[in-house]
Amino acid sequence: MKHFLVFTAIFLVSNTIFACGFYPFGEDIRFSFLNPANFNYYSYSEFNYSSNSFYANTDGVFVEGTVDENEKLWMKYCKNKVAVEAIRAVLYEFKEEDICPESTNEMLRYLYKTKKIEAVNYLKFAKKCEFFNGLYDDPWETKHGFILPEREKLIDEAVLRSNKFLSKELKHRYTFLAIRLAYYNNDRDKIRTLYDSVFKNQKKADILKYWSLYFRTIAEKNRALANFYAAQVFVNAPDKRFMIAQEFNTKIALDLVLKYAKTDKEKANVYLLAGIKKTDQSLYCLKQVYKYNPDFDGLSFLLLREVNKIEDWVFTPYYSLFNPSVSEFKYGAENESNSVKDVLKRVEKDRVYAGEVLKFINSVNIKKIDNPILWKISRMYLSLVTKDNQSCLNQVAQLEKKISKKDSLYSQIELIKALALTANQQNGKAVILDEVKPILLKNQKNKKFLFAIGRELEYKANTTDAAFLYSKISDVENDSNDYNIAVWKSLKNKRSSYTHYYNDYFTYIDVNYSTKQVESILAEIEKKDKDLDSFSVWKQRYIKNEITILYDLIGVKYMRQNNLESAVSYFSKSNKTTKYSDCLWEKPNCTGIMFNVNPFYVLKYTPNFILQEKQFQVNERSVAEHLILYLKKASSPKEENKDYYYFLVANAYFNMTHEGNSWMMRRFSRTEDIEESPFEDKKEYYQCNLAKKYYLLSFKNAKTKKFKALCLRMIGKCEKNKLQYQYPNDYYHRIENYDAFLWNKNRYYQDLKSNYADDYENLISDCSSFEEYFKARR
């Protein structure tokens, strides 16, 4: 019985994510095996490499429990006698009326006890300002809506209070409040004046200066100077990084920006932000940051980001054959029309760049670096990227001795180790190595990792184990990570398109594996080995449950080759191991498969015109068996009804094409459009050459003119299908008067009109006449 019943469910489930015109892109396709989360650059996390735009971290940019710079200033002001929790409560939870002598808050009790009433008054004033630290509706965009009298009064009061204090602490705090209020009041001149008079020449900068510089940057008219300010804020005020980065104009030449830098660290800051904003190669910025500030944490983060870029540029296309996830930036605006060959050419260029970054890493003084382990792991990983697999493995061995197995970095290294071990094997002899097996089991929910190991094996000609690993992608339950999917293309695709990618093993091997390769998968499953190890049980589990469908698949593949005897053999195995209903294939009242015709006797969209004298259960096996039977009868010298049997055979072959009612003899799914997938019988599926061959033989053996005319009508139909395939009238190829164009090229329709003029209109315009012409066979 039909594989379609079983496979339909699989096909629908596995392809639901691609419904409604979905096309995989961005993080869906990006391959990454170096997780930034393992390296503790939390304050830079908003700028981790991703195909998504930079986005604000809703949880903040500090690890939970971190004491930020403003909190440290208050702790210092309170002589370190107040717990940070009390300070946070006042700063982030209290209202103005909560600040009073009766409060039990430790910070307030300290301030009242030590008579630091000026600080209490500041806190009350800051709470009063909070309501005005926001932009309000300005529907006509006149900017006048920003200016509020109440806010202007608060600005003036903040400036007045600032001028009263000799203490820099409160003077700077009041000035910052005034600057922030001025920003929301759209008073750029006030921002510049206040900052330049109070903070500009401050020798020992603190967070209040950089918070104020954030607004000063926005108010600056000189864009080169604004870029310089933005870089300093970016480095020194982590909580402002996301917003200030948007003020950095990448079109401004760095030389113009750097002329404002007075120290090496300021120069390094400029190169850091410039490097982070770059979506293409940032090695020059890396080198400059190292030159001016080698122990800078920003340098290590920039390296991490660059390695994440490189793995996207190399591994995303190498494994999936998609362009890198940020290809629109790296390669310019382009669609998916480029060939797989072009994609892989770019990979080799990016491997060369990876080698340049690796050379730089090898040149640095590791003792001066902020995070030596990151640099060592990056060096190890880039060795893999540049195909120096043995060097990568040598470095893995060294790192494994220094990193605890409980450390997340150890798991990180294992992924790279497994890839290197697999890639390091000789072509034609690659297997899943014993060292790789536990890593696969440990990471069995990581779909892209499973696929990458499988792809390495496939590239090394081990298509059997590759298929087993691809099947495990479907064996993994969906998790909360929307990007934990694997989608890929085939090396057999001559060009990329919007429909030719895969997300399940079955569709992939259906299109891309040879019959022998699928038989090798079955052979491994059918081995009489009762003592399978746990890894082999895990590896085979999913496919083992689909053995019936694999029999079916091989049978279909043999049908594509027109190897009918072999097809019958595998369809027989499929039938023996599956419990199907007793109803005939394509019988209208059957549950499950709803195909309602016999391919030998009924043509699609055509009234029944051939009497079926002997009923038989219709399924793949019976169709193939009857093709063998009817061909044997037709080829017998003694057979008097050769024309009849050739006609039935031709009908069956016609129905197995894209236009027929039994396409499932050759396909597991059908689309209206001409598919670009590289099936071996693609031409036959669309051109129905076998049907044409047997209609011609029926014509040759026909005894009556009317039956000859019917045969010629069907030959012309096959020829039309062939012409439609050769000369498509689609979005890319518009042909005027298409029907006339096809008719002029169809010599069989022309022959029908010329030599069977009385029958032409009946056969072309009225399919109901077929019964009359078939009965006229004798």
Side-chain angles (χ1 to χ4, degrees):
M1 188 55 185
K2 193 69 194 96
H3 55 74
F4 194 80
L5 178 64
V6 180
F7 181 70
T8 297
I10 299 170
F11 181 82
L12 290 176
V13 170
S14 64
N15 286 277
T16 51
I17 61 169
F18 301 137
C20 303
F22 173 84
Y23 187 76
F25 69 99
E27 293 303 291
D28 299 323
I29 62 173
R30 183 165 77 94
F31 278 75
S32 176
F33 305 109
L34 193 68
N35 187 351
N38 290 325
F39 296 96
N40 300 321
Y41 289 103
Y42 195 79
S43 66
Y44 291 98
S45 61
E46 294 168 319
F47 301 91
N48 288 339
Y49 177 77
S50 167
S51 61
N52 297 326
S53 300
F54 294 143
Y55 60 93
N57 189 336
T58 55
D59 296 325
V61 296
F62 298 108
V63 177
E64 186 177 355
T66 301
V67 179
D68 66 35
E69 294 302 314
N70 183 43
E71 293 165 351
K72 288 178 182 178
L73 285 179
W74 278 114
M75 291 177 73
K76 182 179 179 181
Y77 186 83
C78 296
K79 308 297 184 183
N80 293 316
K81 294 183 178 180
V82 175
V84 69
E85 290 77 13
I87 294 172
R88 287 172 180 162
V90 175
L91 297 181
Y92 310 128
E93 300 172 15
F94 278 30
K95 298 178 181 178
E96 181 182 357
E97 57 268 26
D98 296 327
I99 301 174
C100 60
E102 293 77 22
S103 175
T104 58
N105 177 270
E106 185 183 1
M107 178 184 183
L108 294 179
R109 290 175 62 188
Y110 172 82
L111 293 177
Y112 280 112
K113 183 177 180 180
T114 57
K115 298 183 180 181
K116 294 183 181 290
I117 304 303
E118 67 278 7
V120 173
N121 292 335
Y122 164 79
L123 291 169
K124 289 183 177 180
F125 182 76
K127 294 295 179 180
K128 185 187 296 184
C129 294
E130 283 180 356
F131 174 79
F132 296 96
N133 292 329
L135 299 174
Y136 299 97
D137 290 343
D138 183 24
W140 299 104
E141 299 182 359
T142 61
K143 302 280 184 165
H144 298 306
F146 292 147
I147 302 172
L148 299 176
E150 295 89 341
R151 192 186 279 136
E152 288 188 356
K153 290 180 181 179
L154 288 173
I155 294 170
D156 292 340
E157 185 177 350
V159 173
L160 182 64
R161 291 185 179 215
S162 173
N163 291 335
K164 286 183 177 180
F165 285 102
L166 295 176
S167 163
K168 290 183 179 180
E169 177 76 16
L170 292 177
K171 181 181 183 69
H172 289 173
R173 288 194 178 277
Y174 276 115
T175 303
F176 167 69
L177 291 180
I179 288 173
R180 184 167 62 182
L181 289 166
Y183 166 76
Y184 289 111
N185 222 39
N186 197 35
D187 191 345
R188 305 297 173 91
D189 290 336
K190 178 71 75 174
I191 294 172
R192 289 190 288 268
T193 300
L194 287 172
Y195 181 87
D196 291 353
S197 63
V198 176
F199 290 109
K200 186 175 183 179
N201 296 317
Q202 181 182 348
K203 293 182 180 179
K204 190 175 181 180
D206 57 24
I207 194 63
L208 296 173
K209 175 176 180 175
Y210 291 113
W211 280 355
S212 300
L213 185 57
Y214 167 78
F215 296 109
R216 177 67 179 86
T217 302
I218 298 171
E220 179 53 52
K221 297 177 180 179
N222 180 334
R223 296 320 302 162
L225 181 56
N227 272 11
F228 172 74
Y229 286 156
Q232 310 315 310
V233 174
F234 183 87
V235 171
N236 293 289
D239 55 332
K240 298 295 183 185
R241 281 177 181 162
F242 177 74
M243 295 302 297
I244 200 63
Q246 298 176 53
E247 298 298 322
F248 190 89
N249 189 335
T250 57
K251 295 181 180 180
I252 304 298
L254 285 181
D255 289 345
L256 297 177
V257 180
L258 289 164
K259 71 179 184 179
Y260 297 102
K262 297 178 180 179
T263 68
D264 284 350
K265 286 188 176 182
E266 288 178 341
K267 291 177 183 178
N269 296 345
V270 171
Y271 281 114
L272 172 65
L273 185 51
I276 286 175
K277 292 279 284 189
K278 284 174 69 67
T279 57
D280 57 356
Q281 298 174 359
S282 296
L283 179 56
Y284 174 73
C285 291
L286 264 172
K287 290 179 176 179
Q288 297 306 113
V289 176
Y290 174 71
K291 175 182 177 180
Y292 291 113
N293 193 4
D295 64 347
F296 183 18
D297 68 342
L299 170 63
S300 295
F301 174 75
L302 189 59
L303 173 67
L304 173 60
R305 179 176 162 76
E306 196 68 3
V307 174
N308 284 148
K309 279 187 202 175
I310 291 170
E311 65 175 349
D312 181 27
W313 298 344
V314 173
F315 287 144
T316 297
Y318 179 68
Y319 291 129
S320 74
L321 303 181
F322 280 88
N323 279 321
S325 67
V326 290
S327 59
E328 65 269 32
F329 301 113
K330 188 171 189 297
Y331 301 123
E334 62 178 35
N335 56 32
E336 286 289 330
S337 64
N338 53 293
S339 69
V340 167
K341 185 177 180 181
D342 291 335
V343 172
L344 292 178
K345 278 183 180 179
R346 290 173 181 160
V347 168
E348 295 312 308
K349 292 180 180 179
D350 289 320
R351 288 190 196 273
V352 172
Y353 174 66
E356 294 173 7
V357 176
L358 180 58
K359 183 178 179 181
F360 165 66
I361 293 174
N362 288 328
S363 71
V364 304
N365 185 342
I366 205 74
K367 295 180 180 179
K368 293 183 178 180
I369 299 301
D370 157 70
N371 189 344
I373 197 67
L374 166 65
W375 288 72
K376 291 178 181 179
I377 290 176
S378 296
R379 179 170 58 196
M380 171 198 67
Y381 192 23
L382 291 180
S383 296
L384 171 66
V385 174
T386 56
K387 295 185 176 181
D388 191 351
N389 301 316
Q390 191 55 56
S391 175
C392 173
L393 292 170
N394 293 341
Q395 294 174 67
V396 166
Q398 295 175 7
L399 287 166
E400 284 179 327
K401 296 175 183 177
K402 298 178 181 179
I403 299 175
S404 168
K405 290 185 177 181
K406 296 180 180 179
D407 194 321
S408 62
L409 286 177
Y410 192 89
S411 298
Q412 179 77 83
I413 293 169
E414 283 186 315
L415 296 180
I416 299 169
K417 175 183 179 180
L419 290 168
L421 283 168
T422 307
N424 203 38
Q425 296 180 81
Q426 187 177 341
N427 190 48
K429 297 183 178 180
V431 296
I432 302 177
L433 297 168
D434 288 340
E435 286 183 86
V436 175
K437 291 176 181 178
I439 301 174
L440 283 168
L441 290 174
K442 182 178 178 180
N443 295 277
Q444 60 184 272
K445 292 185 178 181
N446 186 337
K447 294 183 180 183
K448 286 189 172 72
F449 174 66
L450 295 180
F451 179 80
I453 296 295
R455 194 65 136 178
E456 290 286 0
L457 291 168
E458 183 182 3
Y459 287 158
K460 298 287 184 181
N462 183 349
T463 56
T464 301
D465 279 330
F468 280 117
L469 290 180
Y470 297 160
S471 75
K472 300 305 294 182
I473 294 169
S474 301
D475 201 23
V476 176
E477 293 183 6
N478 292 330
D479 56 24
S480 58
N481 181 0
D482 293 336
Y483 301 129
N484 184 25
I485 65 173
V487 288
W488 67 96
K489 295 184 180 182
S490 165
L491 284 168
K492 292 184 179 180
N493 281 62
K494 292 182 179 179
R495 66 181 180 87
S496 296
S497 71
Y498 284 98
T499 56
H500 307 114
Y501 54 86
Y502 308 89
N503 75 312
D504 69 280
Y505 91 97
F506 186 88
T507 309
Y508 183 67
I509 67 173
D510 173 31
V511 177
N512 296 279
Y513 274 36
S514 70
T515 308
K516 297 300 181 186
Q517 287 173 321
V518 181
E519 287 176 331
S520 295
I521 298 170
L522 270 175
E524 179 161 337
I525 295 175
E526 293 175 332
K527 285 179 182 177
K528 303 299 182 180
D529 189 348
K530 297 181 180 180
D531 299 319
L532 284 179
D533 59 86
S534 59
F535 177 81
S536 297
V537 170
W538 170 81
K539 182 185 76 171
Q540 295 184 11
R541 182 177 61 201
Y542 191 83
I543 289 185
K544 205 161 192 175
N545 291 330
E546 300 204 327
I547 191 168
T548 300
I549 302 176
L550 291 184
Y551 286 140
D552 210 23
L553 172 59
I554 296 173
V556 169
K557 283 182 172 289
Y558 277 123
M559 286 301 299
R560 292 170 187 163
Q561 298 168 12
N562 203 31
N563 186 338
L564 301 178
E565 289 79 8
S566 296
V568 167
S569 173
Y570 278 96
F571 288 148
S572 299
K573 293 180 180 180
S574 177
N575 288 341
K576 288 178 181 177
T577 55
T578 309
K579 295 180 180 179
Y580 291 104
S581 63
D582 293 330
C583 62
L584 296 182
W585 173 32
E586 305 183 335
K587 189 175 180 180
N589 64 349
C590 287
T591 58
I593 304 170
M594 301 299 288
F595 304 107
N596 56 3
V597 290
N598 184 308
F600 292 96
Y601 297 95
V602 180
L603 297 176
K604 196 173 180 181
Y605 306 130
T606 304
N608 292 354
F609 65 96
I610 306 175
L611 177 64
Q612 183 176 352
E613 296 179 354
K614 184 180 180 181
Q615 297 286 332
F616 62 87
Q617 186 175 18
V618 183
N619 54 41
E620 291 167 307
R621 175 183 174 181
S622 67
V623 170
E625 286 177 334
H626 278 78
L627 274 172
I628 295 171
L629 175 64
Y630 293 160
L631 283 168
K632 183 177 181 180
K633 284 179 176 289
S635 63
S636 172
K638 297 180 181 181
E639 178 58 57
E640 295 180 356
N641 295 306
K642 289 177 180 289
D643 56 341
Y644 173 77
Y645 288 114
Y646 278 132
F647 196 88
L648 294 185
V649 168
N651 282 349
Y653 278 120
F654 181 86
N655 279 321
M656 283 188 269
T657 69
H658 181 258
E659 297 296 323
N661 55 45
S662 303
W663 51 263
M664 64 288 301
M665 291 292 294
R666 291 180 175 273
R667 295 291 183 273
F668 286 85
S669 62
R670 181 185 181 277
T671 60
E672 288 299 322
D673 298 327
I674 292 178
E675 63 194 15
E676 292 295 335
S677 297
F679 285 106
E680 59 187 318
D681 67 335
K682 183 176 177 181
K683 286 187 177 180
E684 170 59 29
Y685 185 62
Y686 288 104
Q687 296 183 14
C688 58
N689 295 316
L690 284 171
K692 179 181 172 182
K693 171 185 175 180
Y694 290 110
Y695 282 130
L696 280 166
L697 286 171
S698 184
F699 177 87
K700 179 180 178 181
N701 289 277
K703 301 293 192 287
T704 68
K705 184 176 180 181
K706 277 205 164 190
F707 189 65
K708 282 181 177 289
L710 177 60
C711 291
L712 198 56
R713 165 67 170 84
M714 293 308 299
I715 295 166
K717 171 59 177 172
C718 290
E719 183 69 7
K720 182 180 179 181
N721 289 354
K722 181 177 181 178
L723 291 169
Q724 286 176 321
Y725 177 77
Q726 293 176 335
Y727 304 100
N729 183 29
D730 55 24
Y731 179 82
Y732 300 102
H733 313 89
R734 288 297 182 193
I735 300 175
E736 293 185 10
N737 302 317
Y738 190 53
D739 288 337
F741 171 84
L742 293 176
W743 195 90
N744 288 331
K745 288 186 172 293
N746 193 330
R747 67 186 181 91
Y748 299 103
Y749 277 169
Q750 293 174 34
D751 188 14
L752 180 63
K753 187 172 185 178
S754 298
N755 299 318
Y756 302 86
D758 294 340
D759 305 302
Y760 179 79
E761 287 299 329
N762 283 340
L763 289 169
I764 291 294
S765 305
D766 186 6
C767 292
S768 62
S769 66
F770 281 21
E771 183 176 7
E772 173 191 348
Y773 282 82
F774 189 83
K775 285 181 177 180
R777 187 179 65 84
R778 291 290 185 268

